[in-house]
Amino acid sequence: MKTRITELFGIEHPLLCPGMTYVANADLVAATSNAGGLGILAIGHLTPAQTLDEIRRVKSLTDKPFGIGCALLMPGARENLEVALAEQVPVVNFSLGSGADVCERVHAYGGKVIATVVSAKHALSAQKAGVDALLVTGHEAAAHGGSVTSLVLIPAIRQVTNLPIVAAGGFGSGAGLVAALSLGADAVAMGTRWAATQESPVHQTTKSMIVDKQVEETIYNANFDSMPCRVMATPNAKKVTAKKLSLWRAVWRALQAARDTRRPVGSLIRDVFKMGFAQTLKVTFFGASILSIKRATIEGDHQRGVQLIGQVQGLVSDVPTVASLTQRIMHEAEIALQSLPRSEQPQEAALAQ
C-alpha cells in the first residue's frame, strides 16, 4: 500500500510504532521496521549513553528506516537529541517544543522530521518550523492525547495543512487504518496495539491485562502528571488519579525517578529551573510519574504502578509477533477497502498496491 508517508520515509506499509516511554525499545523498533513499518525509539527516559547504545542496537538489528522520539521540553532531551543527530537517525519525531532548529539540522544530513501535535494551531506552528509530517494525536490515545477525538481532529488539521499526517489515537486494526485514510491521514500509529506484541518489553502481566480490558476501562484526567493523560483503569490508577498530586510529593518522586534512571540530579535541577516557574511545575509533575509508569509497564506491578494505555485496548485480543500483526492489519485493510462502495473508497489513487 502506497501513501505519502510510505513514500516519504521509504517504508512498505503506512504503519508506525510511536515512541512510547519504556515500550518502544530497540527490539520493538527494529521489528516494526523489519516488518515494513516505521519504528520510533523512545529516548526520553534514557541517559545519553543509553540513547547511543539503543540507537546502535537498532542499527545492528535492521537496515530499514527508523526514528527517535524526543519531548523537547523535558530535562536531558537536548543531550539525547544531540546523540541522535550525531548518529544521523533517519527520522526525528519531536513534541512539546519548537523544532525549527531540529528541522534544519536533520535536513542537513538528509533525514526527515515528524512533529507530534494535538491541534490545528500546533500543526501550523510545526509546518512553519519546516517539519516533513505530522503525528496527530486524538483524544482516544494513551497518555497525552488531545481534547478532540481522532474522528474530528484529523479532518480539522487536514483543512489547514497539506503535510502528510500520521493518525494516532483509537487505531488498532486494518479497518482503523482505512478509516484514518478516509479522514485525510496518510498512515496510522498504533501504540497500544504494538505494546501487546511478542517483541514488546511490556511485562506479560500487563500484556494480559491489555487483552482483558474493555474500551471504556481507562481514566482520563490531569491528576496523574498535571497534564490530561489517559491510563488503564486499575484500583491503583483510580486511587492515584482521584486527586491532584501535591507539589512536594511530585518533587520527591521526580528526584527518585532521576536516581532510578541514573541521571545526575544536579544537572537536571539546573535544566528544569531554566524553564521558568510554569514549565518547571509541569516537568516536575511529569517526572514524578516516570517510576509509576515503569513499575506497571516493565515490572507488571499494578499495585504501585500506572499503565499508560489507549481506549483501543478493548480491540486487542492477542499478543502476536510484530511481523504477523503487520500482515494481519494490511490484510484487514484490503478487506475493508473491498467492502466499501466503489465511489467511497478513500484515497483510491494513493492506495495502489
Side-chain angles (χ1 to χ4, degrees):
M1 179 182 287
K2 296 184 183 299
T3 71
R4 290 195 299 165
I5 286 293
T6 63
E7 293 176 352
L8 177 65
F9 298 124
I11 58 178
E12 185 178 356
H13 307 302
L15 302 174
L16 276 73
C17 172
M20 301 169 281
T21 301
Y22 288 116
V23 179
N25 66 1
D27 292 323
L28 182 58
V29 167
T32 302
S33 293
N34 282 331
L38 182 71
I40 304 293
L41 180 70
I43 63 172
H45 61 293
L46 304 177
T47 65
Q50 291 168 335
T51 295
L52 179 61
D53 288 345
E54 282 289 279
I55 289 173
R56 290 185 174 175
R57 177 164 172 77
V58 175
K59 290 180 176 179
S60 74
L61 295 172
T62 184
D63 59 358
K64 303 292 181 64
F66 72 97
I68 59 96
C70 184
L72 299 176
L73 174 68
M74 298 304 164
R78 290 288 176 175
E79 289 82 355
N80 284 345
L81 179 61
E82 287 298 326
V83 173
L85 296 178
E87 288 293 301
Q88 298 192 356
V89 172
V91 181
V92 171
N93 174 205
F94 76 86
S95 61
L96 299 178
S98 174
D101 61 325
V102 177
C103 292
E104 181 178 352
R105 295 182 65 188
V106 173
H107 290 158
Y109 64 75
K112 305 296 182 184
V113 181
I114 307 171
T116 296
V117 300
V118 297
S119 70
K121 179 181 178 181
H122 291 162
L124 289 174
S125 295
Q127 178 175 278
K128 185 177 180 180
V131 304
D132 300 288
L134 302 170
L135 196 157
V136 177
T137 310
H139 185 63
E140 304 93 326
H144 307 103
S147 60
V148 180
T149 65
S150 295
L151 184 65
V152 177
L153 184 60
I154 297 166
I157 290 182
R158 174 51 69 221
Q159 287 179 354
V160 301
T161 178
N162 193 42
L163 284 172
I165 288 174
V166 179
F171 304 104
S173 67
L177 169 59
V178 172
L181 297 175
S182 299
L183 294 171
D186 304 276
V188 291
M190 297 182 174
T192 295
R193 178 60 274 197
W194 251 243
T197 58
Q198 291 183 24
E199 292 89 343
S200 163
V202 171
H203 195 278
Q204 186 57 50
T205 295
T206 304
K207 289 179 182 179
S208 296
M209 291 173 70
I210 295 172
V211 171
D212 292 340
K213 290 288 185 179
Q214 303 302 310
V215 294
E216 64 271 15
E217 292 183 278
T218 67
I219 301 167
Y220 182 84
N221 65 34
N223 290 345
F224 179 54
D225 63 5
S226 84
M227 295 181 280
C229 184
R230 188 176 301 283
V231 303
M232 181 185 289
T234 64
N236 185 56
K238 292 175 183 178
K239 178 182 177 181
V240 168
T241 60
K243 60 181 180 180
K244 292 182 178 179
L245 185 65
S246 70
L247 174 59
W248 296 115
R249 288 186 69 196
V251 169
W252 174 246
R253 290 185 184 179
L255 292 174
Q256 286 182 307
R259 286 194 295 268
D260 184 74
T261 55
R262 290 179 285 178
R263 290 174 181 251
V265 173
S267 65
L268 284 177
I269 292 174
R270 287 194 298 273
D271 286 347
V272 166
F273 280 96
K274 291 177 183 177
M275 302 175 184
F277 183 71
Q279 295 289 22
T280 296
L281 284 179
K282 182 179 290 188
V283 171
T284 299
F285 278 92
F286 183 82
S289 71
I290 292 296
L291 274 183
S292 185
I293 295 169
K294 181 181 179 183
R295 285 168 176 163
T297 302
I298 302 302
E299 300 170 12
D301 180 0
H302 292 266
Q303 301 301 313
R304 297 184 299 163
V306 174
Q307 179 64 43
L308 306 180
I309 207 73
Q311 291 179 318
V312 79
Q313 68 178 358
L315 303 182
V316 176
S317 59
D318 62 354
V319 184
T321 65
V322 168
S324 63
L325 177 60
T326 299
Q327 292 304 313
R328 179 200 304 173
I329 289 171
M330 298 312 300
H331 180 63
E332 290 172 347
E334 291 178 6
I335 293 173
L337 283 169
Q338 292 170 5
S339 69
L340 293 174
R342 189 71 179 175
S343 61
E344 297 180 12
Q345 291 189 10
Q347 299 189 6
E348 187 172 355
L351 298 177
Q353 300 294 320

